[in-house]
Amino acid sequence: MLTRSVTPSAAATGQHRQGKPSEQRQVRVVIKTSSPPVERRSRPKDRRDRIATAAAIAFSERGYHGVSVEDIAAEVGITKSALYRHFPGKYALFLNSALILLDALEAALEQSSGAHPGNPHEQLRAHLSSIIGTTITHRRTAGIYRWKRRYLHKKDRQPIRARSWEVNRAIRECVIRIRPELSDGDAFVTVAAMLSVIGSITAHSLVLSPRRVEQLLLDACTAIAESDVAPTGRPATVPEAVPESAAVGNMREDLLRASVQLFHDRGYAEIGVEEIAAAVGLPASGVYRYYPSKADILAAAFYRAIDGLEAAVAEEVRTATDPVDAVRALTAVYVDLSFSQRELMSVYFAELINVAPGPRADLRLRQRSNIEQWAALLREVRPELSVVESRFLIYGALNLVSDLGVFLGPAAAQQEAPRIHNLMMITLLGSNVPEGQAWHASR
């Protein structure tokens, strides 16, 4: 309710301006208004979940150092102080993000356990279907696994690793029942490859219906579990890249090698130009004689890797005798490069986001072009696959190489190269891998 005082005019009181002014009267006018009720905004009950999801997506897409607490708060539409009511800081958000998929996978396996106790084949498919469906549901947030190993605190790594091994164990039990000739270690690698093929969908944005994605991945994983195609021959080696002839060229090579090793060991964001320079015996200013910036060193290393891969694949495909031989050749080249240049390949998958936008877009364009070329070769062997389906399988096969390289460690991965190549071929061709085609050391 509002009130105001009004002094009436002369006309309103019957008085005239001439003569003695009349005694003025104060008139109180009362105006009634209806004030809107004060809205009390309650905190959404799902705010913590919304924050967690936004953080997981951001970390999955941009990595740990590419995301700030402010970014996550803005995405949810809250202040930093409101976010801190639910999570104490950025690392807590990252750790929670790393656990989201793991929690979901454990819940999915618990639901599918005991579905077919007397039939290991059907029980395996039930487990795999649960895991695939869960990964599809969490596809945008599950890419965190690419970053988690490097940035998790040491005290948090072992519990997560132990829980991941339990997921592997639940599926491994089915695989051993199907293939009792496998040792526990062999079964572990087999299941790790299957999980990696499934997890590959978090590394790209190709679109298929969820039902078709599930069937495609389920068929590939089943073929991995049931195939007994043995690798033959021995791993071939890729020669070291020939350094540039001049002294300047040698120092450029030294800087590349030292940088890649440092980026691999501690992460790109943790390394400064001073440390790179010290690793090759230069002052910090000396690095700029060869590369304009740290990001340019990273880009140069990646161009070196993709140039070498494209050249090797082109030569192998040119000399292939048929489409199956071409698929075998390109996968063998990829396994060789992945393990002979392990640190570089690892850095590529983890740190591409840190390359400047122009070179990064170019590198991704070349990567997609390579995938398209490989998918076209695969479709010559398997014409029943669509273009997109063949690309899904290519990504799955490539992903298992990088993941198994991490799980096994450098020495074991090199020793297991024939088996890993065999797993790639089964992923791509199903259970119909021609005998003797799994590994062929022709170079």
Side-chain angles (χ1 to χ4, degrees), residues 13 49 70 82 84 140 161 163 230 239 295 309-310 345 358 362 385 392:
T13 59
D49 291 339
E70 291 86 349
Y84 287 136
R140 286 197 69 193
R161 182 183 179 92
R163 291 175 62 185
L309 178 62
E310 289 174 347
M345 298 299 283
D362 182 52
L385 295 174
F392 262 85

Side-chain angles (χ1 to χ4, degrees), residues 329-398:
L330 68 87
T331 50
V333 164
Y334 189 79
V335 171
D336 281 344
L337 286 175
S338 293
F339 297 148
S340 65
Q341 302 182 25
R342 175 177 173 270
E343 291 82 4
L344 177 56
M345 298 299 283
S346 175
V347 171
Y348 181 88
F349 287 113
E351 307 291 1
L352 182 59
I353 191 66
N354 291 304
V355 175
R360 182 169 71 244
D362 182 52
L363 286 163
R364 282 179 168 162
L365 182 63
R366 290 177 65 177
Q367 182 186 36
R368 285 194 295 269
S369 178
N370 289 334
I371 295 293
E372 290 170 4
Q373 177 191 4
W374 295 18
L377 287 171
L378 178 58
R379 292 188 69 223
E380 290 187 44
V381 182
R382 298 185 61 184
E384 77 277 9
L385 295 174
S386 70
V387 172
V388 177
E389 289 168 350
S390 61
R391 292 175 186 169
F392 262 85
L393 291 180
I394 292 291
Y395 276 111
L398 299 180

Side-chain angles (χ1 to χ4, degrees), residues 21 62 132 174 184 229 241 326 347-348 392 396 427 440:
R62 287 177 275 162
I132 293 168
C174 293
D184 192 59
V229 177
V347 171
Y348 181 88
F392 262 85
T427 300
H440 180 58

Side-chain angles (χ1 to χ4, degrees), residues 125-349:
R125 292 179 71 85
H127 277 329
L128 291 174
S129 292
S130 295
I131 289 177
I132 293 168
T134 300
T135 306
I136 292 172
T137 300
H138 293 269
R139 188 177 181 183
R140 286 197 69 193
T141 60
I144 194 73
Y145 85 93
R146 288 176 292 164
W147 314 93
K148 69 181 183 185
R149 303 180 189 96
R150 177 164 297 165
Y151 298 117
L152 283 174
H153 293 170
K154 192 172 183 179
K155 66 181 178 63
D156 296 320
R157 292 177 188 171
Q158 183 55 39
I160 289 179
R161 182 183 179 92
R163 291 175 62 185
S164 300
W165 267 215
E166 280 299 302
V167 171
N168 182 295
R169 183 194 58 77
I171 304 170
R172 194 161 73 244
E173 289 177 351
C174 293
V175 172
I176 290 176
R177 290 175 65 195
I178 294 170
R179 299 180 60 191
E181 77 279 6
L182 292 180
S183 68
D184 192 59
D186 289 338
F188 175 89
V189 172
T190 299
V191 174
M194 294 157 63
L195 295 175
S196 182
V197 170
I198 296 170
S200 69
I201 66 171
T202 68
H204 61 79
S205 56
L206 295 173
V207 177
L208 275 177
S209 70
R211 179 173 297 180
R212 184 55 188 145
V213 173
E214 179 177 351
Q215 190 61 54
L216 193 68
L217 297 178
L218 185 59
D219 289 345
C221 291
T222 302
I224 290 174
E226 298 179 349
S227 176
D228 59 357
V229 177
T232 60
R234 61 176 179 81
T237 57
V238 176
E240 290 283 339
V242 178
E244 299 173 32
S245 56
V248 170
N250 291 333
M251 180 53 70
R252 287 178 64 86
E253 294 296 323
D254 291 344
L255 282 167
L256 280 182
R257 283 193 292 269
S259 299
V260 167
Q261 188 64 57
L262 288 168
F263 297 156
H264 174 265
D265 292 342
R266 293 165 50 197
Y268 175 86
E270 302 296 327
I271 301 299
V273 172
E274 296 81 3
E275 291 169 280
I276 296 172
V280 295
L282 287 177
S285 59
V287 173
Y288 300 113
R289 293 177 53 197
Y290 306 98
Y291 296 99
S293 68
K294 185 175 74 164
D296 287 296
I297 299 176
L298 190 65
F302 290 169
Y303 274 113
R304 176 66 54 82
I306 204 164
D307 287 346
L309 178 62
E310 289 174 347
V313 166
E315 176 60 23
E316 291 292 349
V317 171
R318 183 184 66 81
T319 59
T321 58
D322 55 51
V324 173
D325 191 46
V327 172
R328 177 211 55 76
L330 68 87
T331 50
V333 164
Y334 189 79
V335 171
D336 281 344
L337 286 175
S338 293
F339 297 148
S340 65
Q341 302 182 25
R342 175 177 173 270
E343 291 82 4
L344 177 56
M345 298 299 283
S346 175
V347 171
Y348 181 88
F349 287 113

